[in-house]
Amino acid sequence: MKLFKFLAIIAVVLTGASTAKAQMGDWTIGLKAGANYTNLYSDTKGLSDKKGKVGFTAGAFARMGQTVFFQPELNFVHFSSEFSYNGQQYDPTLSQLNVPLMVGYKLLDQDALALRVSIGPDFSYNLNEPDVFKGHDFKKFAVGGVFNVGVDLGNITLDARYSRSFTDLDKRLGQQAGIYSLAVGFKIL
């Protein structure tokens, strides 16, 4: 059901964006998917054997402007990590709705090739609460930052990104997510 709601939101965003593009020009809209690798960072004593794991991401993006651009996105991000806390092993898996709002600059901008960098705030809403966090002031909403490097080859986009949460997932462990991701996208408008 959550996936259906996410896809419905993407459909509404794309419909509204295509109407705006027809009226404003200089808009690019697309879909993307890829893999991520996540670490949960913390200085909490008793926390050890921290290991990241591979997850996935899928979403939609809009890009407005030419050399300097604004790029909002709506993504579904699924990730997990592994760690030990006070001798017990945990393997939390999280799913998030993620909204990065990036401002970027095209270092190279030609018809069939563009090289771009972007940075901005990153807002996430946690869709689930793993057992390890239950009853320990788990945060549903997180704020962070994102840095992205991307290449456009015609209608194909390739992006390498690092997102870092500034909000602790919960009070007890004080963990913040650091997510590396690689995604391939396709401009549909």
Side-chain angles (χ1 to χ4, degrees), residues 104-164:
Y105 181 77
K106 290 183 182 172
L107 302 170
L108 177 65
D109 189 10
Q110 298 184 1
D111 287 338
L113 174 68
L115 174 62
R116 56 192 157 68
V117 295
S118 53
I119 191 168
D122 192 17
F123 304 97
S124 299
Y125 180 77
N126 291 307
L127 299 171
N128 67 316
E129 183 176 352
D131 287 341
V132 68
F133 301 121
K134 289 200 187 293
H136 295 283
D137 197 18
F138 178 74
K139 305 291 186 207
K140 283 290 217 180
F141 183 74
V143 177
V146 62
F147 175 73
N148 190 83
V149 176
V151 175
D152 296 335
L153 302 167
N155 284 335
I156 305 294
T157 66
L158 305 169
D159 287 280
R161 174 175 299 177
Y162 179 68
S163 303
R164 178 64 189 250

Side-chain angles (χ1 to χ4, degrees), residues 38-40 51-53 79-83 90-93:
T38 304
N39 284 315
L40 296 177
K51 296 177 191 161
K53 290 190 171 184
F79 64 90
S80 61
S81 188
E82 186 176 307
F83 61 89
Y90 294 98
D91 186 11
T93 299

Side-chain angles (χ1 to χ4, degrees), residues 41-117:
Y41 299 99
S42 177
D43 293 332
T44 302
K45 293 190 186 294
L47 199 64
S48 61
D49 299 328
K50 298 179 261 185
K51 296 177 191 161
K53 290 190 171 184
V54 175
F56 67 91
T57 182
F61 65 90
R63 194 175 304 140
M64 297 159 266
Q66 287 296 326
T67 304
V68 175
F69 61 89
F70 174 61
Q71 182 169 322
E73 296 183 3
L74 177 62
N75 302 310
F76 175 79
V77 181
H78 184 80
F79 64 90
S80 61
S81 188
E82 186 176 307
F83 61 89
S84 294
Y85 179 63
N86 289 336
Q88 189 170 358
Q89 189 71 21
Y90 294 98
D91 186 11
T93 299
L94 288 132
S95 296
Q96 296 180 332
L97 281 180
N98 172 261
V99 180
L101 303 173
M102 298 176 287
V103 173
Y105 181 77
K106 290 183 182 172
L107 302 170
L108 177 65
D109 189 10
Q110 298 184 1
D111 287 338
L113 174 68
L115 174 62
R116 56 192 157 68
V117 295

Side-chain angles (χ1 to χ4, degrees), residues 4-25:
F4 177 75
K5 288 179 184 176
F6 176 68
L7 293 175
I9 290 169
I10 289 177
V12 168
V13 168
L14 290 176
T15 301
S18 65
T19 303
K21 179 177 174 68
Q23 295 174 359
M24 295 179 64

